[in-house]
Amino acid sequence: VKTVSELGEHRVVDSILAVLRKQAKPAIPFGDDVSAVKLDRGKLLILKTDTMVWDTDVPPGMTARQAGRKALVMNVSDLAAKGVKPLAAVVSLSIPSSTSIDEVLSIIKGLEDGAKEYGLEIIGGDTGEAPTIVLSISMAGIADKGTIILRSGAKVGDIVATTGPFGNTAAALAITLNGLEAPHMLKLKLLRSIYKPKARLREGLVLASLKAATSSIDSSDGLAWSLHELSRMSNVGFKITNVPIAPEAEAFARIHGLNPLNLALYGGEEYELVLTIKPELFDKAAASVRSVGGELIKMGVAISERRVIVDYQGKLHEVEAKGWEHFTSKHLPRN
Amino acid sequence: VKTVSELGEHRVVDSILAVLRKQAKPAIPFGDDVSAVKLDRGKLLILKTDTMVWDTDVPPGMTARQAGRKALVMNVSDLAAKGVKPLAAVVSLSIPSSTSIDEVLSIIKGLEDGAKEYGLEIIGGDTGEAPTIVLSISMAGIADKGTIILRSGAKVGDIVATTGPFGNTAAALAITLNGLEAPHMLKLKLLRSIYKPKARLREGLVLASLKAATSSIDSSDGLAWSLHELSRMSNVGFKITNVPIAPEAEAFARIHGLNPLNLALYGGEEYELVLTIKPELFDKAAASVRSVGGELIKMGVAISERRVIVDYQGKLHEVEAKGWEHFTSKHLPRN
């Protein structure tokens, strides 16, 4: 009998879904960023649950308040990717009995920070005991069936775009998990990317209301993985000609002789949206995203061949379908 | 600085709620069985989250499939107590990397068992790594504001009632946790109460549609605790003249020289509904509950004095506000 570490997270999930598919035909197919059940009048009830486990998911140096906030932001980001406004959240907090009440309340304040930032309410939850802190957030929203952006709608010729640069979180994890160093100001900027991530909620909402995006995913599993997910679920490929690498990640890569492209592709814990946009609506979409204070960066184009390739410094690279994998490794993917 | 074990679960929860109350005014006040946010047209979106932690919440001898099913039933029971039909659930499963895939799939099959029994769909979720198995279920439903049964509506003169007998779970926990013995058939029956609990969903739904119940709670924290919660939140007291003690619990108490009343009052992990019913509607309510295969057992009456007393074998006993407390003790309350 195999253990989950021998199988790896993605094959474990596939086995679970094989069981669940026999019993449920959810309104949004399994494997998208959020789940849904049909209500009347063309509405969907959207549900999302995501869990932060202190032992494995909280990088060294992150405060309890930042961790609480991040747990909430992770969930908002998934709704943002679908263009759904979060209405409310419930929280399940399991803690060791030796936890100080101050730490517990800091986590709750962090949750409130996130809830205030994204305009939703925390309406309830439960507590219990566990050997490490486990914080599960579940979030709900109501959406019109017609406006929700799935992972599966990309068409050949659509423009591949994203809402921000990549690479800083991979650099920050190399600092916190692998002990790499960086000059003080650079280090602060990089660490901020993992300690205080932002969800692209306003961006997701305007893109959904415009009906400009044909597919969308949040990049929490890394840019490479996200592109491959959109590719797999939309049955198209992508040719990427512009990977937006953050200048801080470039500087960090230079210092340590790392490949900045790899930092950008194979990181994770970023909460940008990776989308495909109807070409005729791209300029309008970009203007709308700018109007809410964001940016929409053109990365490439959807192609019929089912592969993900990147044109970087004059050379074509095959992008691998890898990202962070729980169970098999907690370390940074090698360069 | 105090730890959560020094404070105890209920004071930890009070501290958390003090923070949350500053930011949110949920449609159902904090501290009820479920949470809610207002939708349009007088509807409420109901959310519930509850977590099972293998280390502390799964009694010895329970299979993974039973544990998965029970995690789902726990949540259904909370919605049942409010008279709300569960529509869908999402599941967050955190597991040690050494867990076998068979155990994981057994948990999922148990979840499906519960979902089928109570007519809802599991529409999504997430997985991750943790030092022990942590299974969080979040469940949603839509309810009319007018039909939901809170903990706070009991009036003096209302009839206190419940949907089944008490005591078997306390006896079963004495067997599994404290090593007490019982004859084979009795033991099987008692253990069944903790391994295969039932939620009283049909009962809760008919009582809500009749508008017969003025307050309701599920008895998962024990009968005594549940009565005190209804008392506290409704600002009434209760005089109980009939504690329905299960015959198996009586037999078990006789064998071990235990007080059967204490088994019934201070157990927990039962999923009966404890309710107050308008006196003029009691007979109609009882008939409706019978029509869906259940029973509604009269226990006593709501009184103006804010205490919970029980008349047992010709003597009045003060019922203490205690039940299972996480953090401070994992053992059975002493007799």
Side-chain angles (χ1 to χ4, degrees):
Chain A
V1 174
K2 295 239 173 190
T3 66
V4 295
S5 74
E6 287 164 334
L7 285 170
E9 181 176 13
H10 293 292
R11 282 168 67 194
V12 171
V13 170
D14 287 345
S15 309
I16 291 174
L17 292 183
V19 176
L20 291 180
R21 277 205 188 92
K22 285 184 198 154
Q23 306 244 6
K25 296 266 171 292
I28 292 180
F30 288 115
D32 214 306
D33 299 72
V34 302
S35 307
V37 62
K38 266 183 208 155
L39 301 178
D40 52 8
R41 304 188 306 152
K43 299 276 184 187
L44 296 177
L45 167 57
I46 306 296
L47 291 178
K48 174 68 199 178
T49 187
D50 212 342
T51 295
M52 184 180 269
V53 178
W54 256 236
D55 269 6
T56 41
D57 300 333
V58 175
M62 180 179 249
T63 66
R65 186 159 179 167
Q66 288 170 336
R69 179 187 166 280
K70 185 179 172 191
L72 198 111
V73 170
M74 282 165 24
N75 278 272
V76 171
S77 177
D78 282 304
L79 270 73
K82 306 294 103 178
V84 177
K85 190 176 150 44
L87 273 181
V90 288
V91 174
S92 178
L93 178 63
S94 303
I95 42 184
S97 59
S98 60
T99 312
S100 79
I101 184 71
D102 285 3
E103 184 167 9
V104 173
L105 296 182
S106 293
I107 294 168
I108 305 297
K109 282 175 194 152
L111 290 169
E112 292 283 10
D113 292 342
K116 244 201 271 188
E117 250 174 276
Y118 295 100
L120 66 136
E121 283 195 333
I122 296 167
I123 58 172
D126 84 314
T127 61
E129 190 174 349
T132 179
I133 300 178
V134 181
L135 176 59
S136 275
I137 316 252
S138 298
M139 210 166 268
I142 306 280
D144 287 318
K145 212 184 163 199
T147 61
I148 204 158
I149 318 164
L150 301 183
R151 291 186 180 180
S152 53
K155 298 271 174 292
V156 174
D158 286 349
I159 291 171
V160 186
T162 188
T163 51
F166 286 81
N168 285 356
T169 57
L173 291 170
I175 292 171
T176 56
L177 298 180
N178 300 353
L180 269 62
E181 271 304 334
H184 185 67
M185 287 306 293
L186 177 61
K187 188 172 171 178
L188 283 184
K189 271 209 155 179
L190 292 171
L191 291 178
R192 196 176 163 80
S193 72
I194 52 169
Y195 294 155
K196 293 210 82 183
K198 302 252 179 218
R200 300 297 189 181
L201 181 58
R202 284 173 304 190
E203 290 85 341
L205 294 180
V206 292
L207 289 169
S209 73
L210 263 185
K211 303 199 182 203
T214 54
S215 71
S216 174
I217 185 172
D218 103 321
S219 69
S220 55
D221 286 326
L223 178 57
W225 185 264
S226 303
L227 288 167
H228 272 280
E229 272 297 292
L230 291 184
S231 159
R232 189 174 65 83
M233 294 191 62
S234 296
N235 201 25
V236 297
F238 298 116
K239 183 173 180 189
I240 305 299
T241 46
N242 170 43
V243 175
I245 304 175
E248 299 84 3
E250 296 262 19
F252 183 81
R254 230 172 2 250
I255 292 167
H256 293 284
L258 301 171
N259 182 345
L261 180 68
N262 284 349
L263 287 180
L265 286 174
Y266 304 114
E269 306 285 306
E270 290 116 344
Y271 296 93
E272 300 299 340
L273 308 185
V274 178
L275 315 114
T276 53
I277 307 282
K278 292 174 192 166
E280 68 277 17
L281 289 179
F282 185 84
D283 290 343
K284 205 174 163 190
S288 293
V289 170
R290 270 194 303 276
S291 76
V292 295
E295 57 176 338
L296 193 63
I297 304 164
K298 214 179 270 200
M299 287 200 295
V301 66
I303 57 178
S304 57
E305 207 185 340
R306 255 199 63 181
R307 58 199 285 219
V308 181
I309 45 178
V310 57
D311 188 340
Y312 181 68
Q313 297 181 332
K315 268 180 69 181
L316 277 187
H317 301 259
E318 198 76 36
V319 176
E320 291 177 65
K322 69 181 187 187
W324 287 93
E325 277 238 339
H326 280 288
F327 307 133
T328 50
S329 161
K330 287 175 217 165
H331 299 291
L332 267 186
R334 276 175 306 276
N335 253 299
Chain B
V1 175
K2 295 238 174 191
T3 66
V4 295
S5 74
E6 287 164 336
L7 285 171
E9 181 175 14
H10 293 292
R11 282 168 67 194
V12 171
V13 170
D14 286 345
S15 310
I16 291 173
L17 292 183
V19 177
L20 292 179
R21 278 205 188 91
K22 285 184 198 152
Q23 305 245 5
K25 297 264 171 292
I28 293 180
F30 288 116
D32 214 305
D33 299 72
V34 302
S35 307
V37 62
K38 266 184 208 153
L39 301 177
D40 52 8
R41 304 189 306 151
K43 299 276 183 187
L44 295 177
L45 167 57
I46 306 296
L47 291 178
K48 174 67 200 178
T49 187
D50 212 343
T51 295
M52 184 180 269
V53 178
W54 256 236
D55 270 6
T56 42
D57 301 333
V58 174
M62 180 179 247
T63 66
R65 186 159 179 168
Q66 288 170 336
R69 180 186 165 281
K70 186 179 172 191
L72 198 111
V73 171
M74 282 164 25
N75 278 272
V76 170
S77 178
D78 282 304
L79 271 74
K82 306 294 104 178
V84 177
K85 190 177 150 44
L87 273 180
V90 288
V91 173
S92 178
L93 178 63
S94 303
I95 41 183
S97 59
S98 60
T99 312
S100 79
I101 184 71
D102 285 3
E103 185 168 8
V104 173
L105 296 182
S106 293
I107 294 168
I108 303 298
K109 282 176 194 153
L111 290 168
E112 291 283 12
D113 292 340
K116 243 201 272 187
E117 250 173 277
Y118 294 100
L120 66 137
E121 283 194 334
I122 296 167
I123 57 171
D126 84 314
T127 61
E129 191 175 347
T132 179
I133 300 178
V134 181
L135 176 60
S136 274
I137 316 253
S138 298
M139 211 167 267
I142 306 281
D144 287 318
K145 215 186 159 197
T147 60
I148 204 158
I149 317 163
L150 301 183
R151 292 185 180 180
S152 53
K155 298 270 174 293
V156 174
D158 286 349
I159 291 171
V160 186
T162 188
T163 50
F166 286 82
N168 285 356
T169 57
L173 292 170
I175 292 171
T176 56
L177 299 179
N178 301 353
L180 269 61
E181 271 303 335
H184 185 67
M185 287 305 293
L186 177 60
K187 188 172 171 178
L188 283 184
K189 270 209 155 179
L190 292 172
L191 291 178
R192 196 177 164 79
S193 72
I194 52 170
Y195 294 156
K196 292 210 83 185
K198 301 252 178 217
R200 299 299 188 180
L201 181 58
R202 284 173 304 189
E203 290 85 340
L205 295 179
V206 291
L207 288 170
S209 73
L210 264 184
K211 304 201 182 203
T214 54
S215 71
S216 173
I217 185 171
D218 102 321
S219 68
S220 55
D221 287 325
L223 179 56
W225 185 264
S226 302
L227 288 167
H228 273 279
E229 272 296 293
L230 291 184
S231 160
R232 189 174 67 82
M233 294 192 64
S234 295
N235 200 23
V236 296
F238 298 117
K239 183 172 180 192
I240 305 298
T241 46
N242 170 44
V243 175
I245 304 175
E248 298 84 2
E250 296 262 19
F252 183 80
R254 230 173 0 251
I255 292 168
H256 293 285
L258 301 171
N259 182 344
L261 181 66
N262 284 348
L263 286 180
L265 286 174
Y266 304 114
E269 306 283 308
E270 289 116 344
Y271 296 93
E272 301 299 341
L273 308 186
V274 179
L275 315 114
T276 53
I277 308 281
K278 293 175 192 166
E280 68 277 16
L281 289 179
F282 186 84
D283 290 343
K284 205 174 163 189
S288 293
V289 170
R290 270 195 304 276
S291 76
V292 295
E295 56 175 338
L296 192 63
I297 304 164
K298 215 179 271 198
M299 287 199 296
V301 66
I303 58 178
S304 58
E305 208 186 340
R306 255 198 63 181
R307 57 200 285 220
V308 181
I309 46 177
V310 56
D311 187 341
Y312 181 68
Q313 296 180 333
K315 270 179 67 180
L316 277 186
H317 302 258
E318 198 77 37
V319 176
E320 291 177 65
K322 68 180 189 187
W324 287 93
E325 277 237 339
H326 281 289
F327 307 133
T328 49
S329 161
K330 286 175 216 163
H331 299 291
L332 266 186
R334 275 176 306 275
N335 254 297

